Amino acid sequence: MNKIFKLILFAFFIGGILPAHGKGPKYIFYFIGDGMGFSHVEATQLYLEATQSARNLLFLDFPVTSHATTYSADSRITDSAAAATALATGIKTSNGTSGMDSARTHALTAISRQLQNEGRQIGIITTVSIDHATPAGFYASQPDRELYYAIGKQAAESGFDFFGGSSLLQPRNNSNPEDTDLYTYFRQNGYTVCAGPEDYRKAASTGKMVLLYDTVGTRHTPYEIDRKPEELSLKDLTEACINRFMQNPKQGFFMMIEGGTIDFAGHSNDAATAIKETIGLDDAVRVAYDFYLKHPKETLIIVTADHETGGMGLGIHDKSLPVGILQHQKASEENLSNILKNAPATTWDDMKTVLKEQLGLWEYIPVSYSEEANLMRIFESTFIARNSQDVTSLYNTVNALTNAVVTLVNQKARIGWTSGNHTGVVVPVYAIGAGQEQFSGRLDNTDIPNNIRKLTGIK
């Protein structure tokens, strides 16, 4: 075999294992289920099996399933800012820090920024505000995750092609009211800012975009359990970003897509809402998977989490696990608190009717005499005597009766919680597509962006 023929064979072999455009996947989807642990995933799968057996969580069928450690530079239990920094840059940092080293002395470089420099389009999508901890890890460098104005300003200066989420938490600089508001600043930096689907439909089909639920500082898009069909979902945002990017594919794209409200529901220990949010994340994954089927040799999809929230446990009291009864909960704990507060319920019988409608208690979920007596006592304290204390979690405050009935429904589903905060357990990692084998085995969260670097040839 002559030398030239050997070179031709080698080139053919390399061409067969790498995507046609060059080294590594051309299209990268990086899904982060904020707070999504293995128990959240399993509870959701059990729920689907109990309520709609034709569907499973799609990412459970990905060929690579592994797990990752999540600890930060200064704690075995990370916060979202440190976790996002690790997932974005491949370097650990201290809790509360976005995109900087653990000493908060210098900025770190995110994989999103490096891929942008390679000519790829970059999309940052979330169900929470675009200046929240997880999205911020991919474009911002700030010593404190709560410097929302400074973080939002860095988003506008990033040059990233698409941002999607609920809103901005601090569009005005509280330290200097004379500074430009961030929505204006985005526009000054070449972005079209759209609030809701109607605005989006009127916008140009190309160019840099910020697509938000609203511009009044809403903390998150509507929970899936509460969302009306016309309201923005994670799936909608993902579709919008892909459609814009494929108008001019250039060198490909990188999209970070966060199911941020899984975490919010976990902090509230609201199992039904957490499950519906996990399904919402899977809906967005399905959009990416449909894209993958059209570009299988050029696409990589990764699904993981930044940490677990709530210490969700499956199986309390006995060996049954009737997760399907959660289908009767019609509202998130956050929304249910307002429903009960505004309900025309002046007697316990009136309130029982509302609870039957909203949670299926008594009608579908049995309630014992002692359990009802306890709920009646809390009702009288909350709405008659008005001397009960509200219950506060990290992102939510609800009245005592709401917390009691959601807790009871959790218990009836045999789901327990160890915490209202993050935990230190490993989180799942799922992958399919070009380079999927790089994400097998026991990982650390820093391995994920570093492996993307290896696949794409970034130093």
Side-chain angles (χ1 to χ4, degrees), residues 120 303 306 308 357:
R120 303 196 194 214
V303 181
D306 52 353
E308 193 273 353
E357 293 171 351

Side-chain angles (χ1 to χ4, degrees), residues 153-204:
K153 193 171 183 182
Q154 285 187 296
E157 294 167 349
S158 69
F160 287 2
D161 301 272
F162 188 97
F163 287 93
S166 65
S167 194
L168 286 165
L169 289 179
Q170 191 182 321
R172 293 194 172 276
N173 187 354
N174 294 336
S175 300
N176 184 4
E178 299 302 315
D179 279 352
T180 305
D181 77 272
L182 290 179
Y183 295 115
T184 299
Y185 194 63
F186 267 104
R187 294 184 180 98
Q188 290 174 349
N189 280 273
Y191 287 88
T192 299
V193 179
C194 296
E198 190 61 32
D199 259 9
Y200 174 72
R201 283 189 284 269
K202 295 176 183 177

Side-chain angles (χ1 to χ4, degrees), residues 58-67 300-303 428-443:
L58 176 64
F59 54 78
L60 289 181
D61 293 328
F62 284 6
V64 173
T65 299
S66 56
H67 61 272
L300 171 65
I301 305 174
I302 304 162
V303 181
V429 180
Y430 309 94
I432 189 171
Q436 64 187 32
E437 65 282 351
Q438 292 291 325
F439 304 94
S440 61
R442 181 177 172 87
L443 303 169

Side-chain angles (χ1 to χ4, degrees), residues 434-456:
Q436 64 187 32
E437 65 282 351
Q438 292 291 325
F439 304 94
S440 61
R442 181 177 172 87
L443 303 169
D444 182 69
N445 54 10
T446 56
D447 292 325
I448 298 175
N450 287 331
N451 288 343
I452 295 174
R453 288 187 174 107
K454 291 176 186 176
L455 287 170
T456 55

Side-chain angles (χ1 to χ4, degrees), residues 169-357:
L169 289 179
Q170 191 182 321
R172 293 194 172 276
N173 187 354
N174 294 336
S175 300
N176 184 4
E178 299 302 315
D179 279 352
T180 305
D181 77 272
L182 290 179
Y183 295 115
T184 299
Y185 194 63
F186 267 104
R187 294 184 180 98
Q188 290 174 349
N189 280 273
Y191 287 88
T192 299
V193 179
C194 296
E198 190 61 32
D199 259 9
Y200 174 72
R201 283 189 284 269
K202 295 176 183 177
S205 61
T206 58
K208 296 186 295 184
M209 170 166 281
V210 180
L211 176 54
L212 303 173
Y213 176 70
D214 63 33
T215 56
V216 297
T218 301
R219 187 175 285 276
H220 60 81
T221 59
Y223 288 119
E224 283 295 311
I225 199 170
D226 301 323
R227 187 176 63 84
K228 299 174 183 176
E230 68 273 15
E231 292 177 323
L232 274 179
S233 67
L234 193 63
K235 175 186 176 182
D236 296 333
L237 290 167
T238 304
E239 287 176 336
C241 189
I242 293 173
N243 290 340
R244 294 184 74 83
F245 284 2
M246 293 309 288
Q247 297 294 319
N248 183 12
K250 295 183 180 179
Q251 299 301 311
F253 60 68
F254 170 90
M255 292 170 57
M256 190 290 294
I257 305 157
E258 182 203 17
T261 32
I262 301 171
D263 175 68
F264 282 32
H267 280 291
S268 298
N269 291 173
D270 183 353
T273 301
I275 285 170
K276 292 291 182 67
E277 290 306 296
T278 305
I279 294 172
L281 177 70
D282 189 63
D283 287 339
V285 172
R286 287 171 183 269
V287 173
Y289 183 74
D290 288 343
F291 181 92
Y292 158 80
L293 292 176
K294 298 174 185 176
H295 310 274
K297 293 183 179 180
E298 299 178 300
T299 304
L300 171 65
I301 305 174
I302 304 162
V303 181
T304 189
D306 52 353
H307 51 73
E308 193 273 353
T309 302
M312 178 189 277
L314 305 183
I316 58 173
H317 304 316
D318 58 39
K319 292 183 179 179
S320 66
L321 200 55
V323 176
I325 67 170
L326 295 174
Q327 68 184 296
H328 303 297
Q329 182 175 327
K330 304 303 183 186
S332 65
E333 184 183 52
E334 178 181 310
N335 193 31
L336 182 63
S337 185
N338 293 323
I339 292 171
L340 300 191
K341 180 181 178 181
N342 296 319
T346 57
T347 68
W348 173 239
D349 284 341
D350 292 337
M351 183 57 74
K352 278 184 67 173
T353 300
V354 177
L355 297 178
K356 285 178 184 179
E357 293 171 351

Side-chain angles (χ1 to χ4, degrees), residues 41-62:
V41 172
E42 186 63 19
T44 303
Q45 180 59 31
L46 291 172
Y47 176 88
L48 290 171
E49 291 173 1
T51 58
Q52 50 183 86
S53 58
R55 172 176 177 174
N56 295 315
L57 285 174
L58 176 64
F59 54 78
L60 289 181
D61 293 328
F62 284 6

